[in-house]
Coordinates of all heavy atoms in Angstrom, one line a residue:
A18 N -0.7 -23.1 9.5 CA -1.4 -22.1 10.3 C -1.0 -22.1 11.7 O -0.8 -21.0 12.3 CB -2.9 -22.4 10.2
Y53 N -22.6 -34.3 8.6 CA -22.0 -33.6 7.5 C -20.5 -33.9 7.4 O -19.9 -34.2 6.3 CB -22.2 -32.1 7.6 CG -23.6 -31.7 7.5 CD1 -24.3 -31.4 8.7 CD2 -24.3 -31.4 6.3 CE1 -25.7 -31.0 8.7 CE2 -25.6 -31.0 6.3 CZ -26.2 -30.8 7.5 OH -27.6 -30.4 7.4
A105 N -4.0 -10.7 4.3 CA -3.5 -11.6 3.2 C -4.3 -12.9 3.2 O -4.8 -13.3 4.2 CB -2.0 -11.9 3.4
I117 N -4.5 -37.0 -2.0 CA -5.2 -38.3 -1.7 C -4.2 -39.2 -0.9 O -4.6 -39.8 0.0 CB -5.7 -39.0 -3.0 CG1 -6.8 -38.1 -3.6 CG2 -6.1 -40.4 -2.8 CD1 -7.2 -38.5 -5.1
D180 N -10.5 -16.4 -7.1 CA -10.8 -15.2 -7.9 C -11.3 -14.1 -7.0 O -10.9 -12.9 -7.2 CB -11.8 -15.6 -9.0 CG -11.2 -16.5 -10.1 OD1 -9.9 -16.6 -10.1 OD2 -12.0 -17.0 -10.9
I204 N 6.0 -19.0 3.0 CA 4.9 -18.2 3.6 C 5.5 -17.0 4.2 O 4.9 -15.9 4.0 CB 4.1 -19.1 4.6 CG1 3.3 -20.1 3.9 CG2 3.3 -18.2 5.5 CD1 2.7 -21.2 4.8

Side-chain angles (χ1 to χ4, degrees):
Y53 295 97
I117 292 167
D180 290 345
I204 288 171

